Amino acid sequence: MPETVAALLVAEIGLTTAQASIAGYAIVTTGTLALSYGAQALFAEEKRNDQQITVRQAVGPRRRGHGRDKLGGTIFFFDTAKYQDTNNKVLTRGVIYCVGPITILEFWLGDVKTSLAGGSGGVVPDSVYQGKVAIEGYNGLEDQPASPACLKFPYWGADCQLKGLAYSVVVATPLKKGSEIFPEGAPDVRIVADLAACYDPRDPSQNPADDATWQWSENAAIVLLDYLTHESGYGITLDDIDLPSFIAMANVCDELIPLVIPDPNGETMEPRYRSWGSYTYDEERATVLARYLDAMDGEIYQTGEGKVAVRGGRWQPPTVTIDESMIIGWASLERKSRAFDTFTRIKGTYTSPFHDFQPTEADPWDDLSAQQLLGVIGTERDFRRAPSHSQCRRLMKIAMAKGNPAFRFSGLKCSPAALAAYGETMVNLSIPSLGIAGTFLITRSVLSVGDFAQVTFDLISLDAAAYAWDPAEEGQRPPLPDTYN
């Protein structure tokens, strides 16, 4: 049977070819233990957002993203010569940020937010710049004109439009005490921007074939759909996507969660799962996809029709039961106090717009009962696409429940009587002889056919408490920096 797009995607991210080619069901999830720990290893680098750095590079990697982000970029133009039609010696510098179209919201000079409105820019009005600094902003349209500032130089032509690339050009004449105003030596323009518009299948006014009808989104499921279908991601056609699953997940992401204390913008509610941030075209796709899934406790799976679907992020009560009569045996059974890879504290990282869009550590999530038995055993999780402390804490709670189950089965072999559980997310498991009766998350399913058909599961105990949320669990947010404005 030819492999479907969904099966190939699942295989790329980590499952074996044999598992991925099974007709009817295959799964990859950053909620399961194996991939969670594997993904975490990818995030062991220093906690900083490199996309804010401005670099000199002959050809920088293309960058694209979703939600909101703060960006530096690659210098493409630098000249301190006189203009052709003036006697003033000025500095002109251009920086490419990312693939457009985007919407520039703010211009920053170094670490200082200017009063200049977003969009196309203009003369920076703040008095410290003495009316001698101007910024041109370009949102990355295909028909955007060439920079008038660059056109004043003989080697720049009207055809140098940088089509489809968001960029800025800063023009500055000498300032009094200029070295104090720009200690880095040149005006370093960074931007805060709303990134790519996305197709939302819930909106009948949007045409999937006409991106001019799409809208900006921060919904974690909608931006995931865009990454999967965009050429810089997986390039999957909508015909190979199970849209109802993305619609259902998008509705989950839009559910409003109350905040104990209003955020610095005064908001008292926030959507359950937002997704902000960018990626470069040279990153491994599986690494980028893991970040998108982590932001909503999501998993990609293959439907019976061979389509790419998504689920997760909420409690899903099981409808199928595996009882003792169906069980042939198991490879291993671990109980919580003796389980491998146990941790009792999670230190989670999210990207805080109130801390210069930098990775910020959330209030740790502690399993206090486990700490009484085992002490404090820490682990770290990176939820860098989550733009709020509350969202990070909710994801940490889910990760703690999945990482420290009361029971964990590996290689639970069942007779064909358990086939109804194949392809399910959750299952009721009843083994009275072991004192087990509860709900379990299926982390792996393998169907074997031959002289004697059987289905094998890996399971971890999980119940609705992992997804229940009391706003009081929000914890203590990191204090705002003195420079926040």
Side-chain angles (χ1 to χ4, degrees):
M1 180 181 88
E3 288 186 302
T4 65
V5 170
L8 293 172
L9 185 155
V10 170
E12 175 181 321
I13 301 175
L15 297 182
T16 66
T17 302
Q19 292 166 342
S21 61
I22 294 173
Y25 181 73
I27 184 171
V28 58
T29 168
T30 55
T32 61
L33 291 176
L35 190 54
S36 289
Y37 292 131
Q40 185 58 36
L42 298 171
F43 300 146
E45 70 271 11
E46 181 183 353
K47 292 177 181 177
R48 63 176 186 178
N49 276 344
D50 290 340
Q51 67 266 25
Q52 294 190 27
I53 299 172
T54 299
V55 298
R56 297 175 183 269
Q57 194 169 346
V59 180
R62 291 202 170 199
R63 180 175 292 277
R64 188 173 182 268
H66 298 99
R68 186 168 295 171
D69 206 354
K70 189 174 189 179
L71 301 173
T74 303
I75 298 172
F76 73 91
F77 190 101
F78 190 95
D79 205 314
T80 58
K82 295 179 180 179
Y83 277 157
Q84 291 177 330
D85 55 353
T86 72
N87 291 319
N88 295 323
K89 188 173 183 180
V90 300
L91 180 145
T92 305
R93 188 169 84 156
V95 174
I96 294 173
Y97 300 108
C98 62
V99 171
I102 65 171
T103 300
I104 298 175
L105 304 175
E106 299 172 0
F107 289 102
W108 290 62
L109 286 170
D111 294 324
V112 180
K113 178 184 174 182
T114 75
S115 300
L116 184 61
S120 59
V123 176
V124 181
D126 305 81
S127 59
V128 67
Y129 303 113
Q130 305 158 35
K132 296 181 178 180
V133 178
I135 302 174
E136 297 175 0
Y138 297 86
N139 289 316
L141 304 177
E142 288 295 328
D143 59 351
Q144 63 191 8
S147 160
C150 294
L151 284 173
K152 290 185 177 291
F153 296 88
Y155 47 81
W156 202 258
D159 58 340
C160 300
Q161 298 170 262
L162 304 184
K163 295 181 179 180
L165 296 177
Y167 72 98
S168 73
V169 177
V170 61
V171 179
T173 54
L175 304 175
K176 294 179 180 178
K177 298 184 179 180
S179 60
E180 297 179 15
I181 299 171
F182 298 117
E184 69 276 10
D188 182 17
V189 180
R190 294 188 293 165
I191 61 170
V192 173
D194 283 345
L195 304 179
C198 305
Y199 169 61
D200 188 337
R202 301 174 297 173
D203 182 355
S205 70
Q206 296 187 28
N207 180 351
D210 182 6
D211 57 11
T213 66
W214 301 356
Q215 300 293 323
W216 175 81
S217 179
E218 59 181 356
N219 181 292
I222 297 303
V223 303
L224 170 64
L225 175 63
D226 186 74
Y227 179 70
L228 291 172
T229 56
H230 193 265
E231 61 182 5
S232 64
Y234 284 84
I236 301 171
T237 67
L238 286 179
D239 289 339
D240 290 318
I241 296 285
D242 181 63
L243 284 179
S245 72
F246 279 85
I247 290 172
M249 190 70 197
N251 290 335
V252 172
C253 295
D254 275 345
E255 293 172 356
L256 293 179
I257 304 296
L259 301 175
V260 174
I261 301 174
D263 73 13
N265 287 333
E267 299 294 335
T268 59
M269 307 278 281
E270 70 177 24
R272 182 179 295 276
Y273 298 122
R274 294 181 290 163
S275 183
W276 289 11
S278 59
Y279 59 89
T280 57
Y281 283 28
D282 59 354
E283 287 187 81
E284 291 290 336
R285 297 186 301 182
T287 302
V288 178
L289 180 57
R291 295 202 295 265
Y292 277 80
L293 292 171
D294 275 332
M296 59 179 177
D297 179 51
E299 60 187 27
I300 292 293
Y301 68 99
Q302 177 185 349
T303 68
E305 293 74 32
K307 294 189 175 185
V308 177
V310 67
R311 63 187 173 195
R314 61 178 171 177
W315 172 244
Q316 300 174 11
T319 59
V320 178
T321 298
I322 295 177
D323 62 36
E324 208 158 5
S325 68
M326 304 173 183
I327 298 172
I328 300 170
W330 55 83
S332 67
L333 167 60
E334 303 164 17
R335 296 178 185 271
K336 184 169 185 177
S337 61
R338 301 179 62 184
F340 298 122
D341 299 317
T342 296
F343 51 87
T344 62
R345 167 174 288 179
I346 295 178
K347 294 175 66 177
T349 302
Y350 68 105
T351 298
S352 172
F354 308 115
H355 295 79
D356 197 38
F357 288 79
Q358 291 294 334
T360 306
E361 284 194 4
D363 194 0
W365 190 275
D366 291 308
D367 184 336
L368 297 178
S369 61
Q371 287 179 6
Q372 290 179 350
L373 295 174
L374 303 171
V376 177
I377 304 172
T379 189
E380 294 191 18
R381 290 294 304 272
D382 193 321
F383 300 111
R384 68 177 68 184
R385 290 198 64 89
S388 85
H389 183 260
S390 173
Q391 181 175 339
C392 184
R393 288 275 293 177
R394 283 179 265 122
L395 293 167
M396 291 160 68
K397 180 179 182 179
I398 297 167
M400 179 65 81
K402 290 183 176 180
N404 288 281
F407 300 98
R408 182 184 298 147
F409 278 95
S410 295
L412 183 74
K413 296 182 179 180
C414 299
S415 69
L419 278 173
Y422 185 71
E424 294 294 311
T425 305
M426 300 291 303
V427 66
N428 292 306
L429 184 63
S430 176
I431 311 178
S433 62
L434 296 178
I436 295 176
T439 53
F440 280 70
L441 174 69
I442 299 174
T443 62
R444 188 175 69 101
S445 302
V446 178
L447 176 63
S448 302
V449 293
D451 295 336
F452 182 74
Q454 65 182 28
V455 58
T456 303
F457 301 102
D458 290 345
L459 305 169
I460 59 173
S461 56
L462 187 71
D463 59 34
Y467 293 91
W469 184 249
D470 182 341
E473 295 176 304
E474 186 179 307
Q476 185 67 42
R477 295 180 201 160
L480 292 177
D482 292 338
T483 56
Y484 173 72
N485 54 36

